[in-house]
Amino acid sequence: VTKSFAQPKNYKIKNGFGLSGGITQYEIITDNFETTKGDGWIGGMSATVSLPHRWYGVSYGMQLSENTFGIMGRLNNTDVTQQEIEYKVFKAQLVFLFHIKLVEDFITLDAGPSLQYNSKLELVDDMQEDYFISGYNNLTAKDISEISNINFNGAIGISAGFSHFRFKAQYLYGFTNMFSKLNDQDLDVGDNKAKFKGTQSMIALTAMITF
């Protein structure tokens, strides 16, 4: 006589709610402009799901961030000295991540997509709005502010910690062209006929508390 059981072993799925915050380093990678990296902040909230019987967990949530970066320019067309024109951009993004367990739940490899809404480019110093962008004779700093507002990104990173507190390092790369909207505007680019194209790149270092 043998005994059999139809029900599988029960596992306790752990759900959580996380709050995170930290610092960022940001830039837009482009061949159209000479750019420099800038700093910023990031904060967010997420729902976490830990699956003890699986090699991964998942989380989904929203992140808010404000970042700065620079584009080189000059005061006027007779000025040969380049100066950094500093911009800032505000972002809100929906993020879905898989958390691959490297050392149980203590260290995970995180990866997934994000859908982003961002503001236009805002000048940190309004006195620079009439500065000329390097590489162009008549294109000014204020002319390139209306960038694409909806963008799609991919994120990869690593998390380390315990159930209620974790440190996270994440790299985000943009799959869409943030400058595509500039190509639909009647901008004075002179003899430079290259299409505008730029993809964002961001590194975020954060800490997260989970309830």
Side-chain angles (χ1 to χ4, degrees):
V1 177
T2 58
K3 295 181 180 181
S4 62
F5 298 91
Q7 289 78 15
K9 182 178 179 181
N10 292 324
Y11 295 92
K12 184 179 180 181
I13 297 176
K14 299 178 181 178
N15 297 312
F17 176 75
L19 296 175
S20 62
I23 58 175
T24 63
Q25 186 179 74
Y26 184 84
E27 69 172 324
I28 297 180
I29 302 171
T30 177
D31 292 330
N32 301 106
F33 313 123
E34 184 179 344
T35 62
T36 58
K37 298 178 181 179
D39 301 321
W41 59 264
I42 187 170
M45 58 186 69
S46 60
T48 61
V49 181
S50 178
L51 306 170
H53 60 301
R54 299 291 187 182
W55 50 270
Y56 64 89
V58 296
S59 68
Y60 55 93
M62 182 177 69
Q63 295 177 343
L64 303 175
S65 67
E66 185 177 72
N67 303 279
T68 61
F69 75 103
I71 294 178
M72 301 307 294
R74 59 194 185 282
L75 179 59
N76 52 55
N77 279 327
T78 61
D79 189 358
V80 296
T81 304
Q82 289 197 106
Q83 300 183 43
E84 182 185 60
I85 304 170
E86 191 175 14
Y87 291 90
K88 61 182 178 180
V89 58
F90 180 82
K91 304 192 304 175
Q93 57 184 3
L94 300 175
V95 184
F96 183 87
L97 295 175
F98 287 96
H99 304 281
I100 301 170
K101 299 174 184 178
L102 301 179
V103 183
E104 296 183 349
D105 286 321
F106 303 118
I107 301 177
T108 62
L109 178 67
D110 313 324
S114 72
L115 179 64
Q116 171 184 306
Y117 173 83
N118 53 262
S119 68
K120 67 178 184 179
L121 297 184
E122 298 181 34
L123 287 163
V124 174
D125 182 0
D126 290 336
M127 298 294 291
Q128 293 184 316
E129 66 177 11
D130 291 323
Y131 278 40
F132 290 96
I133 301 296
S134 292
Y136 299 86
N137 291 327
N138 298 308
L139 190 66
T140 64
K142 64 184 178 184
D143 292 335
I144 61 171
S145 62
E146 295 294 336
I147 62 173
S148 300
N149 299 116
I150 304 295
N151 289 282
F152 183 72
N153 313 308
I156 189 169
I158 192 166
S159 300
F162 301 95
S163 58
H164 296 294
F165 185 80
R166 303 180 71 81
F167 288 105
K168 303 170 73 69
Q170 185 181 83
Y171 175 72
L172 181 144
Y173 180 80
F175 293 136
T176 49
N177 180 9
M178 292 192 75
F179 290 155
S180 64
K181 194 174 179 179
L182 297 179
N183 295 315
D184 299 328
Q185 302 173 37
D186 188 20
L187 299 178
D188 189 350
V189 296
D191 296 330
N192 193 334
K193 302 301 182 182
K195 292 290 186 180
F196 292 104
K197 183 178 181 180
T199 54
Q200 62 183 329
S201 171
M202 184 177 78
I203 297 173
L205 302 176
T206 60
M208 184 175 76
I209 299 175
T210 303
F211 302 95

